[in-house]
Amino acid sequence: MRSPISNLERSALQFTFGSITLTVVTLACLYLHAHFAATAFAYLLVILLFSLMGSFIASSALCIVTIAGLAYYFAPPAFSLRIDDPQDLPVVVAFFIASIVGAHLIGKLRQEREAARVVAAKLQRSAADLEDREKRWRAIFEHNPTMYFMVDEAGTILNVNTLGATQLGYAPAELIARSVLDVFLEEDRPFVRECVRTCLEDVGQTRTWDVRKVRKDGSVLWVRENAKAMLWGDEQPIVLIACEDITERRRTELALQRSEAHLAQAQELSHTGSFSWNPTTGEAFWSKETFRIFQLDPDTVQPGPQLVVERTHPDDRASVKEIIDRAMRDPSDFEHEYRLLLPDGSVKHIHAQARATRTASGDIEFVGAATDITAARRAEQQLRRSEAYLAEAQHLSHTGSWSWDVYRLDFIYRSAEVDRLFGFSPQEPISIETIRSRIHPDDLPRLQEVQRQAIEHKERRFEYDFRILLPDGEIRRIHSVAHVVVGSDGNVSELIGTHMDVTEQHAARERLENTLVALRESEQRFRDYAETASDWLWETGPDHQVTHLSEHTSAAGILATGLIGLLRWDIACDLEEEPEKWRQHRATLEAHLPFRDLVYRTVNR
């Protein structure tokens, strides 16, 4: 509604001011007695001037008023609406046509100028808006926390945002016009080239890949690139690449993968598998090591308590079922050992323990570990067997082992045989004072002195003897062999040794010494008898050579020293005469048989 009213007001205003101006021009022309043509020209200028206000209707009305004024005031006779002079009629017609055409053309011109002004204003607004949008998008492009690259189909960088260049250690101008491959590792460039080619083959399709980029200083960062090819203004394809820095995420993933690999290796080395079980949902998870322990294929079986029951040794199956049922009824931590009976007939000992935890949904979930302790159980059985053998061997040999703490002055360890040597029951609690009371009073100071010397001089091995005095008066003789243990501080911290009951050996040695004394006395008596006897005695060794002759050989005319080392038949004169006699004699000697009445001849000196 406002536009028509405004046009009408503008037309009325144009007509009013035009009429006033025409009146002024008319009065001026009348006063100056202007010629008809001059007056018409003046009127035409007024009409054209007011035509610039834009209303053609008002301009047409002014034309009519002007013609009437010309005809009335200036065409003779005066004050008549007729035109009697034929020469004035063309002027009036020309005036009318010129005024109408001029008013129309000026109106058209004004409309076009107004339209041009409107278009120019729109264009100006569009340019400003476009400039604002460009500034806004460029600001977004420059300061977006994402690395942006724009490359052509040859891989040349057309544009890069400031953040992207800064993240790589460059200024944007240093990267523009360079190959995008320059910011990638040498071994990754074929991969990047193939990714760009794939984007260009399918314009408008987004592609995503992870790759490493190289900063200006040589450091490496991981990025996730989202790329799309599009057609530029000249229908040339370009690739817009948005890069997200995922270095920390990649490091976290690699650390997690490394941690998982280390955990898997640790589980394999320790023969410990992990598991989880949700009794409410029945969901269960087993690690690879758990499947390996149970000798099951993770690709073909679904883990769960039923598999555990199926693999359990028949003798342990009832206890395993009871633990599973109790866990379902009253969820709480559990720990137990059981055996597996595997398809190949082998048996494994398993130690399982689990902790009840609550999930985010409020369910109870068991998380635990199953350890293959077969080797430990076998080693334990072997150790028990070895300990039994050692205890039996110590009992049979009357040898006990011990370890002495030099700081606490008490035994760290002593075997059962040590207690037996001191006359105590192995299960009986005994104080160190009680043990010392069994050591012979004469030996206790020397025993303590030997140990003190060993500690001071750090002797690796030392031996000593002492006696044990039992309550019934029996005396046991002990031979002890020990060595020192030097701690990290360089001081002796422990003595380790053995006590051996050598009472029987000591008694046997005494009997042997007494026997040797008696033997030496008997030998001396025999030697004295031989030396005083009239007969002479000889002695030969295993080779039948003479090793000894009595002194009486000299009385027989034979030099004893000259015969040492000879064979007895070497000094006989009848060897050739009676060879059979000597052959039998040698056979008797070879058979270690006694002989008598051997008569032979020899030659004296």
Side-chain angles (χ1 to χ4, degrees):
M1 289 294 294
R2 295 187 62 181
S3 180
I5 293 175
S6 299
N7 291 334
L8 182 60
E9 291 176 350
R10 187 166 57 250
S11 298
L13 187 63
Q14 178 182 353
F15 181 77
T16 300
F17 282 103
S19 298
I20 294 173
T21 304
L22 288 175
T23 302
V24 173
V25 171
T26 301
L27 293 175
C29 289
L30 290 175
Y31 177 77
L32 296 173
H33 303 285
H35 190 266
F36 180 81
T39 303
F41 182 74
Y43 281 165
L44 179 61
L45 291 178
V46 171
I47 292 173
L48 293 178
L49 178 64
F50 279 93
S51 295
L52 294 176
M53 295 183 68
S55 175
F56 180 73
I57 297 174
S59 298
S60 300
L62 288 176
C63 288
I64 294 173
V65 171
T66 304
I67 293 173
L70 285 174
Y72 184 78
Y73 292 107
F74 298 98
F79 304 105
S80 173
L81 293 175
R82 295 177 301 170
I83 302 174
D84 295 333
D85 189 352
Q87 294 180 353
D88 294 334
L89 182 62
V91 174
V92 172
V93 173
F95 170 81
F96 179 74
I97 294 173
S99 61
I100 292 298
V101 172
H104 176 72
L105 291 177
I106 289 174
K108 275 297 213 179
L109 180 61
R110 186 180 181 282
Q111 289 179 355
E112 290 181 0
R113 186 184 65 184
E114 184 67 21
R117 187 184 65 79
V118 171
V119 170
K122 288 183 178 180
L123 289 176
Q124 187 175 6
R125 287 195 301 270
S126 298
D129 186 53
L130 181 62
E131 185 177 356
D132 290 341
R133 285 201 300 268
E134 182 184 2
K135 290 180 179 179
R136 186 164 54 251
W137 283 110
R138 180 165 293 278
I140 294 174
F141 179 79
E142 290 293 334
H143 304 293
N144 193 291
T146 303
M147 188 186 308
Y148 283 106
F149 281 84
M150 186 184 297
V151 301
D152 61 14
E153 56 185 340
T156 303
I157 299 175
L158 301 176
N159 200 355
V160 58
N161 64 339
T162 302
L163 178 67
T166 303
Q167 282 186 300
L168 295 177
Y170 295 94
E174 293 181 275
L175 292 176
I176 294 176
R178 289 179 57 179
S179 174
V180 73
L181 299 178
D182 292 345
V183 296
F184 292 95
L185 290 176
E186 184 71 31
E187 57 266 28
D188 291 343
R189 291 176 183 177
F191 170 75
V192 175
R193 189 181 295 110
E194 178 63 22
C195 291
V196 172
R197 186 190 63 79
T198 305
C199 289
L200 291 170
E201 289 179 352
D202 194 356
V203 176
Q205 183 67 36
T206 301
R207 306 286 180 181
T208 302
W209 61 83
D210 293 348
V211 70
R212 294 169 295 177
K213 282 191 173 181
V214 184
R215 294 188 177 95
K216 188 175 183 179
D217 60 6
S219 59
V220 177
L221 72 158
W222 277 92
V223 295
R224 174 161 293 168
E225 298 192 331
N226 295 283
K228 178 191 290 187
M230 58 184 66
L231 296 179
W232 202 237
D234 55 358
E235 296 300 319
Q236 293 296 320
I238 64 166
V239 180
L240 182 62
I241 306 173
C243 311
E244 178 187 1
D245 186 355
I246 60 171
T247 305
E248 291 302 323
R249 185 192 314 171
R250 191 74 177 185
R251 288 174 181 170
T252 303
E253 291 175 356
L254 292 176
L256 179 60
Q257 293 174 1
R258 186 162 52 248
S259 177
E260 290 177 349
H262 291 169
L263 177 60
Q265 292 179 1
Q267 289 192 357
E268 183 178 355
L269 291 174
S270 62
H271 305 290
T272 300
S274 56
F275 66 87
S276 64
W277 171 48
N278 189 324
T280 304
T281 62
E283 296 179 352
F285 165 79
W286 286 6
S287 67
K288 291 183 179 180
E289 185 62 17
T290 304
F291 280 102
R292 192 196 65 78
I293 291 174
F294 281 79
Q295 292 188 5
L296 293 170
D297 186 358
D299 298 328
T300 59
V301 297
Q302 183 66 29
Q306 186 59 33
L307 279 180
V308 177
V309 175
E310 292 176 0
R311 276 285 195 263
T312 301
H313 194 283
D315 295 342
D316 299 340
R317 196 166 292 166
S319 63
V320 172
K321 286 182 178 179
E322 180 182 354
I323 290 176
I324 295 175
D325 293 340
R326 186 168 63 247
M328 296 181 68
R329 291 193 311 269
D330 183 20
S332 59
D333 299 351
F334 64 84
E335 181 177 1
H336 67 118
E337 291 186 12
Y338 59 95
R339 290 169 295 171
L340 298 180
L341 181 60
L342 301 176
D344 58 2
S346 61
V347 176
K348 285 185 178 180
H349 292 262
I350 305 299
H351 176 265
Q353 56 182 348
R355 177 175 296 172
T357 60
R358 191 171 295 277
T359 63
S361 60
D363 295 336
I364 295 296
E365 183 180 38
F366 288 96
V367 178
T371 304
D372 182 358
I373 58 172
T374 306
R377 285 290 171 264
R378 290 174 180 171
E380 182 179 345
Q381 293 173 359
Q382 184 67 29
L383 179 60
R384 290 177 179 175
R385 190 179 301 113
S386 299
E387 289 177 346
Y389 291 157
L390 178 60
E392 187 64 22
Q394 288 191 356
H395 184 60
L396 292 174
S397 63
H398 302 291
T399 302
S401 54
W402 51 268
S403 174
W404 177 263
D405 190 330
V406 300
Y407 296 112
R408 294 192 301 110
L409 299 179
D410 198 356
F411 285 107
I412 299 175
Y413 162 80
R414 65 177 185 271
S415 65
E417 191 60 25
V418 172
D419 291 340
R420 293 193 186 96
L421 292 177
F422 281 85
F424 300 111
S425 173
Q427 291 79 23
E428 181 181 356
I430 312 164
S431 65
I432 187 62
E433 289 76 12
T434 304
I435 293 177
R436 282 200 181 98
S437 66
R438 295 288 174 93
I439 299 176
H440 196 285
D442 296 341
D443 296 342
L444 185 58
R446 186 170 59 86
L447 185 148
Q448 294 174 339
E449 179 63 20
V450 169
Q451 291 184 353
R452 188 185 64 80
Q453 290 290 336
I455 293 172
E456 289 182 357
H457 299 296
K458 300 178 183 179
E459 296 181 4
R460 293 299 178 182
R461 176 185 172 91
F462 60 96
E463 300 182 27
Y464 56 94
D465 295 327
F466 65 95
R467 291 169 293 176
I468 295 176
L469 183 59
L470 299 179
D472 59 1
E474 179 186 355
I475 294 179
R476 289 181 179 171
R477 294 183 175 273
I478 305 299
H479 179 71
S480 185
V481 179
H483 67 88
V484 299
V485 176
V486 180
S488 58
D489 58 356
N491 297 321
V492 176
S493 60
E494 188 178 349
L495 301 178
I496 297 177
T498 60
H499 287 339
M500 179 182 294
D501 185 355
V502 293
T503 306
E504 291 296 329
Q505 292 90 323
H506 187 273
R509 186 167 60 251
E510 287 184 346
R511 290 194 296 271
L512 178 59
E513 290 176 354
N514 294 334
T515 301
L516 291 176
V517 171
L519 181 60
R520 284 195 292 271
E521 292 176 352
S522 175
E523 181 182 0
Q524 188 60 41
R525 285 195 301 271
F526 178 76
R527 185 177 300 275
D528 293 342
Y529 170 74
E531 294 299 333
T532 58
S534 59
D535 296 333
W536 57 281
L537 305 176
W538 53 266
E539 180 184 83
T540 59
D543 54 358
H544 309 305
Q545 293 179 349
V546 177
T547 58
H548 177 72
L549 285 172
S550 64
E551 295 296 333
H552 293 287
T553 55
S554 298
I558 298 174
L559 184 61
T561 56
L563 300 180
I564 300 300
L566 296 178
L567 298 172
R568 287 179 41 255
W569 43 86
D570 288 344
I571 62 173
C573 297
D574 55 358
L575 180 62
E576 294 181 357
E577 297 176 2
E578 299 179 84
E580 182 62 25
K581 177 182 70 174
W582 286 103
R583 189 189 64 75
Q584 291 180 359
H585 178 64
R586 292 185 61 177
T588 300
L589 294 177
E590 296 291 344
H592 299 169
L593 297 176
F595 66 93
R596 62 172 58 245
D597 297 335
L598 176 63
V599 179
Y600 64 93
R601 291 177 297 148
T602 184
V603 178
N604 61 19
R605 57 185 173 184

